[in-house]
Amino acid sequence: MYSLYNALLIQHSKQLTSIRCAEQTIAQIHRYFEDVVLENNLSALVIEGLPLMPERSLRDLARVREIGRAAQRAFFFVGHTDALNNLPLRVNEQDREPILLRRAPEDTVFERFVVIADARFSALLASVRNTEEDGAESEGDEVIWTFEPDVVYSALEYLMARVAAERPFQAAGFSTAVRTSMPKATSLQLTVSVTTKLARLLQEQAGREIAVNRIATAIRNSLELDSILQTTVNEVGRALNVQL
């Protein structure tokens, strides 16, 4: 089955533009989307797809618990051998427990996504790791995001079909949660807040990439260690916006 990223690009090619980002940057964007729910008390439906991790940090576990506690309903697509399958997902009995949707063992697609549907806000982030023609993993992951309710609606429809095919015994509960949380609009204030954070983060990434490229050029063009080191110091300082 297609990843959510691929399915949406096929269906909404004119509305979505894919960019390539470092996996670390995408993980940070993912957290920005989660923060909208946590910081604004959104009683939203939250559906996330997490990359497979045989081990999870306490920070990862705490984050999943937070989302489960804050959201109206929270679902997490996880790998068959992901550590979350064996960890307690709530601390107190009164907490809402996030629901795990295990991917099939043969599902090896490296994807990440978060879908938020609420009466006040709708948002979507989806990424996938592609491979080159020679089978090697490409540098960086492809990512899309949007706040358009119709695209979020398409994502929810796709995920319902996916759960029905892969986890039929969980399909009824998942569909009920989705049907009662269909996106109707999106808050301009929340959208601007997230977009501002995204722009700042991507600007920082671009600055780091330029610095790395300049350092690499200096190494190729010079055999003088002092010159290379000075270029490195200058570019790191410029990327961090400090004087060194």
Side-chain angles (χ1 to χ4, degrees):
M1 183 172 284
Y2 280 122
S3 67
L4 177 59
Y5 167 92
N6 292 118
L8 291 175
L9 270 187
I10 292 171
Q11 191 171 355
H12 296 278
S13 58
K14 294 183 179 180
Q15 292 172 268
L16 298 171
T17 301
S18 174
I19 65 172
R20 182 168 293 187
C21 290
E23 200 279 330
Q24 183 180 3
T25 300
I26 296 174
Q28 183 62 59
I29 297 173
H30 190 125
R31 286 191 289 272
Y32 286 162
F33 277 67
E34 291 177 331
D35 286 343
V36 176
V37 176
L38 298 176
E39 295 174 0
N40 296 279
N41 298 317
L42 291 184
S43 184
L45 169 67
V46 179
I47 307 171
E48 300 196 24
L50 303 179
L52 171 64
M53 288 190 183
E55 296 183 2
R56 291 278 178 183
S57 67
L58 291 177
R59 180 185 179 187
D60 289 339
L61 178 58
R63 192 72 170 183
V64 170
R65 287 172 172 170
E66 277 187 280
I67 295 296
R69 189 163 51 245
Q72 178 65 30
R73 295 297 298 274
F75 295 86
F76 290 84
F77 285 77
V78 297
H80 195 70
T81 58
D82 195 288
L84 286 176
N85 291 304
N86 302 310
L87 294 172
L89 299 182
R90 62 179 176 181
V91 178
N92 302 310
E93 285 296 322
Q94 63 269 28
D95 290 344
R96 284 188 288 266
E97 185 172 13
I99 298 173
L100 299 185
L101 301 166
R102 287 190 189 181
R103 297 190 178 106
E106 61 273 15
D107 183 356
T108 58
V109 176
F110 188 97
E111 68 171 334
R112 176 193 293 274
F113 59 81
V114 54
V115 181
I116 301 170
D118 176 79
R120 292 187 290 152
F121 183 72
S122 61
L124 159 81
L125 167 78
S127 70
V128 70
R129 180 162 299 169
N130 291 321
T131 55
E132 305 292 355
E133 292 183 0
D134 60 2
E137 288 187 350
S138 59
E139 185 176 343
D141 297 345
E142 301 294 332
V143 60
I144 54 175
W145 63 78
T146 184
F147 305 96
E148 294 293 335
D150 62 321
V151 182
V152 174
Y153 180 88
S154 295
L156 294 173
E157 291 285 342
Y158 161 85
L159 291 172
M160 281 195 294
R162 183 163 162 176
V163 172
E166 297 179 359
R167 309 289 293 177
F169 60 92
Q170 291 179 292
F174 184 80
S175 295
T176 298
V178 169
R179 294 299 184 193
T180 56
S181 305
M182 283 297 185
K184 300 177 178 64
T186 193
S187 163
L188 179 60
Q189 179 182 355
L190 294 178
T191 300
V192 169
S193 174
V194 177
T195 303
T196 301
K197 289 182 179 180
L198 296 181
R200 188 178 299 119
L201 181 66
L202 294 176
Q203 185 178 29
E204 291 172 357
Q205 176 185 280
R208 288 193 296 269
E209 290 178 351
I210 291 171
V212 169
N213 290 336
R214 285 175 174 166
I215 292 169
T217 300
I219 292 172
R220 286 195 300 269
N221 294 342
S222 176
L223 297 178
E224 296 293 330
L225 180 59
D226 288 345
S227 174
I228 293 172
L229 290 177
Q230 187 58 54
T231 299
T232 301
V233 169
N234 292 342
E235 293 304 330
V236 170
R238 186 179 289 111
L240 297 177
N241 198 28
V242 297
Q243 290 294 118
L244 297 176

